[in-house]
């Protein structure tokens, strides 16, 4: 007589050592949409372009949001940029921006002033990639070209303490500025409609 004894089984051991660091970043971008119509309402040209959010604009945004002090929005005021080939630098301010000048041959609502950007409430998208894109957009502003017309090279947005709608005024904080891919020629009686929006993506 024989007796057989068997033993079997499984054994597994898994060890995981990980040093993970979560990296969260936020990108801020602005966008201009510009349409020019002649005196009869016909579209002469239309363009969309991104802008440079200037260093002082980012500083204003963070100081306003994170410092905990009261803050009243001034403007923001949206102006036009003159010339065929404006250039921009992150360090530009309303006082110092060597690469561009303001275009002033226009009126807004019958007055020779920069347009006031009227922003709607911010909204965050869902069901897209990435899903957490927050957008804040301003209503379109219409500029009626006057005087000798001229070449429009882009747009800028100024806000913050001291900002005013007066053309060529250097007060306030330059939030953003951007240029057309190709500068646009305007004539008296044209209307230029500008819509500005800004997005934050993380």
């Amino acid at each position: 007589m024989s007796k057989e004894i068997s033993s079997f089984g499984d054994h597994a051991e898994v060890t995981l050592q990980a040093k993970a660091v979560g990296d969260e970043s936020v990108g801020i971008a602005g966008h201009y949409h510009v349409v020019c119509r002649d005196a009869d309402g016909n579209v002469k040209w239309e363009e969309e372009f991104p802008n440079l959010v200037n260093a002082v604009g980012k500083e204003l945004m963070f100081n306003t949001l994170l410092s905990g002090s009261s803050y009243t929005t001034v403007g923001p005021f949206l102006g036009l940029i003159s010339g065929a080939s404006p250039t921009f630098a992150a360090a530009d301010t309303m006082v110092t921006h060597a690469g561009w000048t303001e275009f002033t041959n226009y009126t807004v609502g019958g007055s020779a002033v920069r347009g006031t950007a009227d922003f709607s409430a911010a909204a965050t998208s869902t069901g897209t990639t990435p899903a957490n894109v927050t957008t804040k957009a301003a209503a379109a502003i219409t500029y009626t070209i006057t005087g000798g017309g001229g070449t429009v090279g882009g747009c800028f947005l100024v806000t913050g303490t001291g900002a005013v709608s007066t053309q060529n005024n250097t007060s306030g904080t330059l939030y953003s500025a951007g240029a057309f891919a190709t500068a646009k020629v305007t004539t008296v009686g044209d209307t230029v409609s500008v819509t500005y929006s800004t997005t934050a993506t993380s």
Side-chain angles (χ1 to χ4, degrees), residues 29-33 51 119 135-138 195-199:
H31 190 82
Y32 290 98
H33 179 207
N51 66 255
F119 282 90
T135 302
K136 191 170 180 68
T195 304
Y196 182 78
S197 61
T198 184
T199 59

Side-chain angles (χ1 to χ4, degrees), residues 28-92:
I28 306 294
H31 190 82
Y32 290 98
H33 179 207
V34 185
V35 181
C36 179
R37 291 180 170 83
D38 63 21
D40 297 319
N42 301 307
V43 175
K44 294 180 67 174
W45 47 264
E46 181 173 3
E47 186 161 345
E48 299 184 33
F49 57 97
N51 66 255
L52 171 68
V53 178
N54 299 90
V56 289
K58 294 175 184 175
E59 291 168 5
L60 174 65
M61 179 177 61
F62 284 140
N63 289 337
T64 301
L65 178 65
L66 301 176
S67 292
S69 60
S70 61
Y71 177 78
T72 301
T73 300
V74 181
F77 303 108
L78 201 155
L80 303 180
I81 290 172
S82 181
S85 55
T87 58
F88 308 95
D92 282 352

